[in-house]
Amino acid sequence: MKPFPPGTSTLDLFLQACLPRRDAVPPTLTDKAVIPGIPNARYRLDHDLTPFMQDAVESNKRESEVLAKAGKPNDILPLANMLAVSGGGDAGAFAAGLIAGWTTHGSRPMFKVVTGISAGALVAPFAYLGPEYDGVIRYVSNAIGPKDIFHSRSVLTRLASDGIADSKPLARLIAKYVTAQILAAIASEYAKGRILLIGTTDLDSGRPVTWNMGAIASSNAPGALELFRNIMLASMSIPGAVSPVMIDVDVDGKPFQEMHVDGGVITQVFLYPPTTVMSLSKAVGAPLRFDRHFYVIRNGTLEPQWSGTKRRTLSIGGRAISALIQTQGISDLERIYRMAQQDGADFSLAYIGSDFSFAHTRKFDGEYMKRLFDYAYQLSAKGYPWHKSPPSENTQPRNPR
């Protein structure tokens, strides 16, 4: 062992320590990495759409078979309602309140596709399963506080760790509600042709990963439940703020490990790749579908939020990142809107309006989340005034027809 230079202090040794991990996947092998026992667990949609398209075709075939068994027409598939829930940290209480209020109003549809990213990943599985799980959505938005999400590390520990805080409290919360029974329920819906997707960021490759949660739930693989929970946790793990989630993968039988963090690093909200509908229409033997309705929930406002910024490094950096995320989120909405126009889909957008105002000075403040949940719930229970377009130079949000 090579000796440390004279004068090396205990603090120096502490800061030079590196948390252990299995080898990262080499860049030339990234696209070959698979989850052991669940080869169809995910997609890298920035590179190859083929696996996703194959699964989309099979999903529609399963849906068609279910319709046929029920004695319903299945040559043309019915309207597909699709729900995308964005990131937003503690503002995820907005989506929770809106979904619960939607049930109360009586107009909430069953969704063919549900996607979640970051804060949306905590809501998405329960929104996918239906109104009987609104109680879970309500709890995780109303009955938790900062200590139920993250555990802050000491200043010294932060310097040698992989995040300012660890997410063990959030992991316990996810484990409490994402059980083997939940996995079985998701698998049952997946068998009917429904789709649940959650996004993370592979930090080593700097690329997005879209996880096929229904396939994971249906796999019966020994580690499926742990993987499902870890994906939800990773999607909410803000890099630097909390520890990343390490996920074991194989490349041609050789083990590696990927580092996954918040999917919001790359995108704030998503549905499917822009060429999906065109490709499905050309797929041999695939049933056709003409009607789609996109519902997009943005856990945030559409207007930039003023914030007096202290002349300190962390304050300046944090403010710059929040402004970047705000702009990115608007761009994501406009991308999905253009896709809706391209595919002939109806588009409905919900977001936190300027009429909601409640100051909170810390993340995951319980009172703030409760107020936001109640605000969204009341709007939705009366019939939410969905906006039919996102903000841009040429289109302005308006109430539905």
Side-chain angles (χ1 to χ4, degrees):
M1 180 176 176
K2 185 178 180 180
F4 288 97
T8 302
S9 68
T10 302
L11 178 60
D12 291 330
L13 296 176
F14 186 69
L15 295 179
Q16 291 175 33
C18 182
L19 295 174
R21 64 167 292 186
R22 186 175 289 172
D23 288 344
V25 181
T28 56
L29 301 178
T30 296
D31 292 308
K32 297 181 68 176
V34 297
I35 301 299
I38 319 177
N40 62 334
R42 65 200 189 156
Y43 317 105
R44 290 187 179 272
L45 299 178
D46 62 337
H47 175 68
D48 183 9
L49 298 184
T50 303
F52 176 83
M53 295 308 310
Q54 291 172 341
D55 283 353
V57 169
E58 291 305 314
S59 166
N60 284 347
K61 287 181 178 178
R62 292 195 300 274
E63 182 183 354
S64 179
E65 291 168 0
V66 169
L67 290 171
K69 289 179 181 178
K72 298 178 180 179
N74 69 330
D75 52 338
I76 302 295
L77 295 177
L79 167 68
N81 293 294
M82 304 183 183
L83 174 67
V85 188
S86 83
D90 50 12
F94 175 75
L98 189 139
I99 290 168
W102 205 348
T103 300
T104 300
H105 184 258
S107 58
R108 174 179 166 184
M110 182 179 74
F111 302 107
K112 163 72 176 180
V113 177
V114 177
T115 73
I117 204 158
S118 193
L122 187 59
V123 173
F126 306 106
Y128 173 84
L129 288 176
E132 58 267 39
Y133 291 90
D134 283 0
V136 177
I137 291 176
R138 182 184 294 270
Y139 176 81
V140 298
S141 299
N142 270 316
I144 62 174
K147 293 182 179 179
D148 300 299
I149 303 296
F150 306 120
H151 176 261
S152 293
R153 296 182 168 111
S154 67
V155 174
L156 187 60
T157 304
R158 292 175 186 178
L159 296 174
S161 191
D162 53 5
I164 293 174
D166 72 56
S167 52
K168 289 179 181 176
L170 178 58
R172 288 193 291 268
L173 180 69
I174 292 172
K176 178 179 179 180
Y177 290 104
V178 179
T179 62
Q181 290 74 24
I182 289 293
L183 237 62
I186 290 172
S188 176
E189 296 305 312
Y190 178 74
K192 300 173 186 176
R194 299 180 63 214
I195 298 171
L196 173 63
L197 305 174
I198 287 179
T200 66
T201 299
D202 175 357
L203 203 55
D204 292 316
S205 67
R207 294 170 58 186
V209 177
T210 303
W211 295 89
N212 185 349
M213 306 302 278
I216 294 169
S218 303
S219 68
N220 293 318
L225 179 58
E226 181 182 5
L227 176 63
F228 195 105
R229 292 168 173 170
N230 280 340
I231 292 164
M232 291 179 64
L233 182 64
S235 190
M236 298 180 67
S237 297
I238 302 169
V242 296
S243 299
V245 175
M246 310 307 297
I247 294 179
D248 293 333
V249 297
D250 277 359
V251 177
D252 297 329
K254 185 177 180 180
F256 292 94
Q257 201 169 55
E258 295 174 348
M259 180 181 291
H260 283 258
V261 298
D262 194 332
V265 168
I266 292 178
T267 186
Q268 291 294 302
V269 64
F270 73 101
L271 264 177
Y272 56 71
T275 58
T276 297
V277 170
M278 185 181 300
S279 299
L280 283 175
S281 66
K282 298 177 181 179
V284 178
L288 297 175
R289 188 194 312 276
F290 298 115
D291 297 323
R292 296 170 182 80
H293 193 150
F294 297 171
Y295 292 96
V296 183
I297 302 176
R298 171 173 165 78
N299 290 309
T301 65
L302 296 188
E303 297 294 329
Q305 299 299 294
W306 187 92
S307 176
T309 306
K310 295 179 180 179
R311 195 173 177 180
R312 295 178 182 172
T313 300
L314 292 179
S315 296
I316 294 169
R319 179 57 179 160
I321 291 172
S322 67
L324 175 63
I325 290 173
Q326 172 76 10
T327 303
Q328 176 188 328
I330 300 299
S331 297
D332 289 337
L333 296 179
E334 294 178 347
R335 170 177 48 79
I336 295 176
Y337 177 67
R338 289 193 298 269
M339 190 170 69
Q341 292 181 307
Q342 168 192 292
D343 295 345
D346 198 0
F347 177 92
S348 294
L349 170 66
Y351 56 86
I352 301 173
S354 57
D355 54 331
F356 177 78
S357 177
F358 183 83
H360 69 304
T361 57
R362 60 175 183 169
K363 292 295 184 181
F364 297 97
D365 180 289
E367 185 60 25
Y368 167 79
M369 295 175 71
K370 184 179 185 304
R371 294 285 188 94
L372 183 55
F373 179 97
D374 290 342
Y375 161 79
Y377 179 87
Q378 294 300 327
L379 281 176
S380 190
K382 297 173 184 176
Y384 186 81
W386 292 92
H387 300 262
K388 305 309 291 182
S389 63
S392 69
E393 293 182 4
N394 300 316
T395 60
Q396 295 297 325
R398 61 178 175 82
N399 289 339
R401 56 185 179 277

